[in-house]
Amino acid sequence: MYDTQAPPPEHALLIGLERPGYDRWAIEDSLEELRELAESAGATVLDSVTQRRDTPSAPTFVGTGKAAEIAAQCAATGANTVIFDDDLTPAQGRNLMDIFGKDVKVIDRTELILDIFAQRARTREGKLQVELAQLEYMLPRLTGLWTHLSRQRGGMGCRGPGETQLEVDRRRVQEKIKRLQDQLEEVRKNRRIERSGRSKLHWPSVSIIGYTNSGKSTLMNKLTNAGVLAEDKLFATLDPTTRKFRLPNNQNILLSDTVGFLRKLPHHLVESFKATLEETAEADLLLHVVDVSHPQAHEQIKAVGVVLEEIECVGKPTIVALNKIDRLGDDQSILEKFQREFPHSVPISARHGTNLDQLQDEIGNQLRARRVDVTLSIPADKAPTIALVYRSGYVTAREHDGAQVILRAQIPKVLAGELKPYVVEEE
Ligand SMILES: Nc1nc2c(ncn2[C@@H]2O[C@H](COP(=O)(O)OP(=O)(O)OP(=O)(O)O)[C@@H](O)[C@H]2O)c(=O)[nH]1
Ligand SMILES: [Mg+2]
């Protein structure tokens, strides 16, 4: 059925600044990423417009002449949305709305990303986090909106009622923010309980991280058949998925796939997704998936580093998976360069399953120090303890000696410590 309430389809113009020496991303690549983001959000991109200047213009981001040109281009092409590759200040947003008119929506990079996240969030925690980030982003702009309205209505004399309404609205939003924070705290408490249940097993946790669209979910699915949505879309994954997984060397691990990173990831979003990202921060090992076929692969690696710093997660043991090697063709020089740069990296194709054995071996190597071979002698009536050894480790032999059960097993070092009274031999 045709829904007359549906908003009109978004036909967008993209606007970027070319700032010499500001950023190593070429403007074309930056706008290409913005185009992918816009299309991931469901918009049709008509054209992109760039302006070369050292700093954004304080009132209108681009120069006023350029802004007028963009307005004319909207009218000529039927564009109803203008998307800026950087964040706009509340004042810039307001002024640009004045110039473009009420039929044209002005969106900045943060709003676009928040919109995609809002579309993708599935779990309660995900939805709460996105809503919180959206409200926090809106709060200072709410002020702007009201000042704007009172100015339109004649300025000084009208400020009174506008301010009052503004205060009411601000308070409402702040209360909503507080409520969301409380609800999130509740969800997180439950999650911490879940996690501490898992950690009793002492299985090392490995987090798959990387730039968005690098192939994290594809790798997760290839390894564990997790059935995670993998798509040629930015931010296909939002909510974390964790699976138990046994490496070929019989080491059990918990493997997690989570939200991708992005350059200029909005600060509010990182803040409100901290809990999701905590999963990453608490991992024993990071598996950093890099799309080596991407022209900006190096810059993407750097952007991942920036987010890792923001979530206080630097210096963790990391394996770099150089993904999508099937797209490199015959020229191996790119790959060799990456391999020189990252000594413990493993070239793979997650899509074709190439070299995944080697990747799993490398994961096993990195985690080896966490395991020991032991012989345990446990009273047969201590069934829960025996079960724990089976669940947490890998039992290679079992014998009975009177009322004792003798187990030979590879178990986590921490568990060997806890089972000290039963350990009769340790290698
Ligand atoms: N050619 C090729 N494509 C791949 C490979 N791995 C993943 N892809 C494709 O890359 C796209 C993104 O893959 P995903 O697994 O969804 O990427 P992701 O890192 O989980 O992305 P987000 O969840 O959006 O952050 C999909 O179209 C995959 O099919 C690979 O090894 N080779
Ligand atoms: Mg994914």
Side-chain angles (χ1 to χ4, degrees):
M1 231 169 61
Y2 188 69
D3 181 5
T4 49
Q5 294 301 306
E10 277 149 341
H11 295 287
L13 292 184
L14 308 181
I15 317 295
L17 286 191
E18 195 179 346
R19 278 183 270 184
Y22 173 73
D23 191 338
R24 284 195 42 215
W25 283 64
I27 182 74
E28 301 79 39
D29 292 316
S30 191
L31 284 176
E32 173 59 21
E33 183 174 276
L34 189 68
R35 187 183 62 76
E36 283 174 31
L37 282 168
E39 287 174 354
S40 293
T44 305
V45 174
L46 300 180
D47 200 2
S48 52
V49 177
T50 61
Q51 185 175 41
R52 203 184 158 89
R53 48 185 304 148
D54 292 329
T55 50
S57 132
T60 48
F61 190 76
V62 289
T64 40
K66 196 68 172 182
E69 263 175 46
I70 296 168
Q73 196 173 346
C74 284
T77 59
N80 56 7
T81 308
V82 179
I83 306 176
F84 287 80
D85 193 25
D86 288 276
D87 286 348
L88 299 174
T89 62
Q92 285 168 340
R94 229 156 42 228
N95 294 332
L96 288 165
M97 277 195 288
D98 278 347
I99 297 172
F100 298 157
K102 64 173 177 22
D103 295 331
V104 176
K105 211 168 18 166
V106 176
I107 294 179
D108 66 18
R109 194 181 158 91
T110 291
E111 284 173 296
L112 181 59
I113 294 171
L114 287 174
D115 188 70
I116 297 174
F117 272 59
Q119 288 180 32
R120 302 271 197 279
R122 291 286 170 271
T123 61
R124 187 168 135 78
E125 184 177 21
K127 285 180 185 161
L128 290 172
Q129 290 178 137
V130 178
E131 202 181 344
L132 181 61
Q134 280 178 320
L135 286 178
E136 283 179 339
Y137 186 76
M138 197 176 99
L139 198 58
R141 283 158 179 83
L142 198 64
T143 324
L145 197 61
W146 278 105
T147 336
H148 181 55
L149 290 180
S150 65
R151 203 172 33 153
Q152 269 185 344
R153 272 191 253 111
M156 293 183 71
C158 298
R159 209 170 286 157
E163 292 274 347
T164 316
Q165 184 57 44
L166 165 66
E167 275 160 22
V168 172
D169 283 4
R170 276 181 65 95
R171 203 171 49 242
R172 275 207 198 113
V173 173
Q174 275 160 341
E175 281 164 7
K176 184 86 209 264
I177 287 178
K178 176 80 183 61
R179 256 200 322 277
L180 285 174
Q181 284 167 336
D182 291 345
Q183 286 170 331
L184 263 174
E185 191 40 49
E186 200 53 38
V187 176
R188 281 167 194 174
K189 235 190 264 159
N190 290 334
R191 205 213 289 235
R192 273 195 291 269
I193 294 168
E194 239 174 67
R195 200 159 44 199
S196 71
R198 286 198 311 235
S199 72
K200 279 209 191 73
L201 290 173
H202 304 295
W203 288 9
S205 55
V206 179
S207 270
I208 304 179
I209 59 154
Y211 208 77
T212 182
N213 216 39
S214 58
K216 301 179 293 298
S217 299
T218 307
L219 178 62
M220 175 83 174
N221 288 338
K222 261 279 170 347
L223 290 175
T224 69
N225 296 318
V228 179
L229 177 75
E231 262 187 293
D232 195 6
K233 253 185 181 178
L234 303 189
F235 299 119
T237 309
L238 205 61
D239 300 307
T241 308
T242 301
R243 288 284 180 277
K244 294 174 191 163
F245 180 61
R246 181 169 281 203
L247 294 170
N249 69 354
N250 291 311
Q251 162 114 36
N252 292 313
I253 61 169
L254 292 170
L255 192 64
S256 304
D257 175 30
T258 185
V259 59
F261 296 173
L262 189 76
R263 172 180 80 104
K264 298 197 235 171
L265 202 58
H267 180 70
H268 288 313
L269 209 55
V270 175
E271 266 305 308
S272 57
F273 269 78
K274 271 224 164 112
T276 301
L277 296 169
E278 244 173 44
E279 205 91 14
T280 302
E282 289 183 6
D284 297 299
L285 177 68
L286 302 181
L287 187 53
H288 181 170
V289 179
V290 177
D291 174 358
V292 287
S293 72
H294 197 284
Q296 294 288 337
H298 265 103
E299 303 307 310
Q300 294 186 342
I301 292 171
K302 245 188 246 157
V304 168
V306 170
V307 181
L308 286 179
E309 245 167 66
E310 210 166 333
I311 59 170
E312 291 154 26
C313 189
V314 275
K316 253 189 205 306
T318 304
I319 296 173
V320 176
L322 304 169
N323 192 29
K324 308 200 188 181
I325 52 168
D326 57 292
R327 296 183 66 185
L328 289 180
D330 292 332
D331 182 10
Q332 292 294 303
S333 61
I334 297 178
L335 192 58
E336 285 162 8
K337 211 166 136 253
F338 278 110
Q339 285 180 294
R340 272 197 302 276
E341 202 174 334
F342 303 102
H344 283 288
S345 59
V346 183
I348 61 163
S349 166
R351 181 183 278 179
H352 299 285
T354 315
N355 261 351
L356 298 190
D357 294 348
Q358 198 191 328
L359 182 66
Q360 294 178 64
D361 288 346
E362 186 60 34
I363 297 173
N365 285 341
Q366 294 273 344
L367 296 174
R368 176 146 308 150
R370 309 177 62 87
R371 295 203 305 174
V372 280
D373 287 304
V374 288
T375 306
L376 301 158
S377 172
I378 307 173
D381 60 358
K382 296 250 183 233
T385 309
I386 294 168
L388 182 63
V389 174
Y390 273 89
R391 273 207 315 277
S392 318
Y394 178 65
V395 177
T396 52
R398 176 182 181 134
E399 289 161 32
H400 286 267
D401 182 7
Q404 296 292 109
V405 174
I406 313 293
L407 299 176
R408 239 182 298 284
Q410 287 171 346
I411 60 171
K413 245 186 193 154
V414 199
L415 185 64
E418 285 172 18
L419 299 181
K420 194 110 208 146
Y422 307 120
V423 176
V424 289
E425 202 182 311
E426 184 173 333
E427 281 171 34

